[in-house]
Amino acid sequence: MNLHEKLNELKVEIAKGVVGQEEMVNSILIGLLTNGHILLEGVPGLAKTTTVKCVSQALSLNFKRIQFTPDLLPSDIIGAQIFDMKTNEFKIKKGPIFTNLLLADEINRAPAKVQSALLEVMQERQVTIADDTFKIDTPFLVLATQNPIEQEGAYTLPEAQLDRFMFKIVVSYNTKEQEYEIAKKATMNSFEEINKVLDKDILEKLKQAVKQIHIDKELEEYIIDIIDASRNPKDYGLEELVDTIHFGASPRATIDMFKAVKASAFLRGNDFVSPIDIALVVKNILRHRIILTYEAMAKEINVDDVIQKILEKIVIP
């Protein structure tokens, strides 16, 4: 079995329902291959939900969607202990979090106590309801969306929550040609049916293949330097960032970077990691983990620009 061919088949199936948005699709595939959760930020109508549905159909995975709202409760997500009048006993009613692909739609619409209901399951792959702990089936992936343009009735995600996302993808508009194709297909209802091309066993083999991808020690050290420069910019001759960065990237960023570059190389059909793979994933991994100072935010300094300055300063091996 050629695993790269199976992966290409998966991309072809997803493309039946999603026009363009290659970065978003590749990021979701990297998340699947590395057990990494993904935060998608973009205005409504950019096929975020559609993409997740297409992936679940092509992989025949369970998919559930939670619409986050201000009145949502943690028990609406993870489940609760309820009293059964017939048996006079308490029983566990599991919530929608018990699935393979969980779409947390507009996650910043719910307050912190609801967002924190996802913390345990995202890190430990388990859910605690009352006195019982339940393991979540694999694969398990949280794909959260948030709308960047509406601030009223929205809550900022806590840093602990953000840090559990491998990627933060900024989803942009399609090109004019792609939008024309979307409009034609939507008007004629001519989107093709998504076929199942992979199962959980093949997905597991793909994950194992990703782990075997080679990465040179020099590139590993290059990744460490990028992360360390976000914490100690002065050590790397980046004095202008000392008053810009409040907190640098966490150790999870390093772990996620090591995983993501291997998956990126595998997606591109290579059996080794190159500097291109680091360039492809570095901003998606760091943009939600580098916290800027209030002064920098007041000056409307962009996190991506800060990451770019770090990349320009550190020599590629």
Side-chain angles (χ1 to χ4, degrees):
M1 181 196 302
N2 189 314
L3 293 176
H4 286 293
E5 286 181 7
K6 298 300 290 184
L7 203 54
N8 288 332
E9 284 180 34
L10 178 61
K11 286 184 179 180
V12 169
E13 286 303 312
I14 295 170
K16 289 180 180 179
V18 182
V19 178
Q21 302 297 1
E22 188 176 347
E23 183 183 15
M24 176 167 59
V25 172
N26 283 341
S27 298
I28 291 174
L29 293 179
I30 289 174
L32 277 168
L33 294 172
T34 58
N35 298 319
H37 308 293
I38 296 166
L39 178 63
L40 303 169
E41 182 176 277
V43 298
L46 296 180
K48 299 185 291 293
T49 303
T50 302
T51 303
V52 181
K53 284 183 178 177
C54 290
V55 171
S56 67
Q57 289 170 358
L59 288 165
S60 192
L61 295 175
N62 293 325
F63 163 73
K64 288 180 183 173
R65 175 180 176 272
I66 303 173
Q67 182 65 50
F68 277 63
T69 55
D71 61 347
L72 199 70
L73 297 172
S75 57
D76 294 328
I77 299 172
I78 64 174
Q81 188 181 50
I82 61 173
F83 185 72
D84 190 335
M85 299 289 287
K86 292 180 180 179
T87 61
N88 284 334
E89 293 178 345
F90 284 97
K91 66 178 184 179
I92 300 295
K93 182 182 179 183
K94 293 181 178 179
I97 207 164
F98 289 88
T99 186
N100 296 127
L101 295 180
L102 179 73
L103 179 64
D105 212 4
E106 293 193 285
I107 191 172
N108 56 333
R109 288 283 180 199
K113 69 174 182 178
V114 178
Q115 294 172 11
S116 63
L118 293 172
L119 290 177
E120 180 186 15
V121 70
M122 289 175 73
Q123 183 65 30
E124 308 294 338
R125 268 33 182 213
Q126 67 181 30
V127 176
T128 301
I129 304 173
D131 296 327
D132 298 312
T133 299
F134 303 91
K135 287 288 182 184
I136 295 288
D137 290 340
T138 56
F140 174 72
L141 199 65
V142 173
L143 296 115
T145 70
Q146 62 178 16
N147 183 344
I149 56 176
E150 291 186 33
Q151 300 302 322
E152 190 174 337
Y155 300 83
T156 304
L157 268 67
E159 280 75 16
Q161 176 80 27
L162 283 171
D163 197 35
R164 281 165 169 77
F165 287 103
M166 171 181 270
F167 286 158
K168 179 183 177 182
I169 309 298
V170 177
V171 186
S172 56
Y173 288 106
N174 293 89
T175 64
K176 287 195 295 183
E177 293 78 15
Q178 290 169 349
E179 191 142 341
Y180 177 76
E181 185 181 346
I182 292 167
K184 290 282 285 183
K185 284 187 173 183
T187 306
M188 301 299 292
N189 196 24
S190 60
F191 284 100
E192 296 179 64
E193 185 179 344
I194 308 293
N195 299 312
K196 175 191 171 183
V197 291
L198 267 72
D199 56 25
K200 291 182 182 180
D201 291 336
I202 297 175
L203 182 59
E204 195 57 42
K205 289 177 181 177
L206 288 168
K207 288 181 180 180
Q208 293 305 317
V210 167
K211 290 178 182 178
Q212 303 306 315
I213 297 293
H214 175 73
I215 178 169
D216 286 335
K217 189 172 187 294
E218 290 81 1
L219 287 179
E220 291 176 334
E221 291 172 346
Y222 175 58
I223 290 171
I224 296 294
D225 284 343
I226 292 171
I227 304 297
D228 190 53
S230 75
R231 302 169 188 164
N232 306 294
K234 195 172 182 181
D235 295 348
Y236 296 83
L238 290 161
E239 282 81 3
E240 71 269 27
L241 297 183
V242 172
D243 296 326
T244 300
I245 299 174
H246 187 41
F247 288 109
S250 71
R252 277 200 191 98
T254 309
I255 296 167
D256 283 347
M257 188 88 83
F258 273 49
K259 291 178 180 178
V261 294
K262 287 188 173 188
S264 173
F266 187 75
L267 275 181
R268 297 195 310 116
N270 298 328
D271 57 3
F272 61 91
V273 174
S274 75
I276 294 172
D277 298 303
I278 296 174
L280 286 172
V281 304
V282 62
K283 288 185 179 179
N284 293 337
I285 285 176
L286 295 183
R287 67 163 56 99
H288 56 298
R289 289 179 160 120
I290 294 177
I291 311 300
L292 303 184
T293 60
Y294 289 114
E295 293 82 358
M297 288 188 281
K299 293 176 184 176
E300 296 186 346
I301 293 174
N302 190 294
V303 178
D304 282 17
D305 294 335
V306 172
I307 299 168
Q308 188 60 41
K309 285 182 180 179
I310 292 172
L311 295 175
E312 288 171 359
K313 194 69 175 180
I314 299 175
V315 180
I316 301 172

